[in-house]
């Protein structure tokens, strides 16, 4: 997963309603820590699996792996870049 793909998926994940144009993200969301984000993504995947919702979860699994592999400083830098881009 490229850095840009990761950014897009994280923005979708952080948005209050990703289906709206433009999507709205509370600035405080960008202050989330890496481990909290990993937990949130993992919880999302678990919930979708429990509810047996027909959605391709592979991109979310890939996002989870990618975020886990980042160092905390790399994750913070990524979140700062995303915050500045909005």
């Amino acid at each position: 997963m490229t850095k840009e793909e990761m950014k897009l998926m994280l923005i979708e994940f952080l948005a209050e309603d990703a289906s709206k144009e433009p999507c709205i993200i509370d600035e405080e969301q960008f202050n989330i820590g890496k481990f909290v984000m990993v937990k949130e993504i993992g919880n999302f995947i678990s919930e979708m699996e429990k509810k047996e919702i027909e959605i391709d979860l592979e991109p979310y699994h890939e996002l989870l792996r990618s975020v886990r592999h980042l160092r905390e400083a790399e994750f913070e830098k990524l979140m700062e870049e995303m915050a500045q881009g909005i």
Side-chain angles (χ1 to χ4, degrees):
M1 173 173 279
T2 68
K3 187 176 178 180
E4 293 306 312
E5 290 171 328
M6 195 181 326
K7 283 181 184 180
L8 288 173
M9 285 196 70
L10 287 172
I11 286 172
E12 253 183 48
F13 197 82
L14 294 172
E16 292 174 19
D17 184 354
S19 65
K20 288 186 178 178
E21 286 289 328
C23 65
I24 299 170
I25 302 174
D26 183 1
E27 285 185 39
E28 289 299 312
Q29 291 283 42
F30 292 108
N31 294 329
I32 191 169
K34 173 188 164 186
F35 297 106
V36 173
M37 179 59 76
V38 165
K39 184 177 177 181
E40 292 290 324
I41 297 168
N43 288 344
F44 173 78
I45 292 169
S46 295
E47 286 297 314
M48 294 298 110
E49 289 172 341
K50 283 180 192 173
K51 293 179 181 179
E52 297 179 1
I53 294 176
E54 292 296 319
I55 182 174
D56 180 14
L57 293 174
E58 185 53 37
Y60 295 98
H61 284 287
E62 191 174 341
L63 176 65
L64 185 57
R65 284 189 296 274
S66 296
V67 171
R68 279 186 178 146
H69 289 325
L70 291 174
R71 293 187 191 111
E72 183 70 32
E74 292 172 323
F75 180 77
E76 288 174 9
K77 182 179 178 190
L78 182 73
M79 296 301 278
E80 285 175 21
E81 288 174 9
M82 290 171 27
Q84 290 173 359
I86 292 186

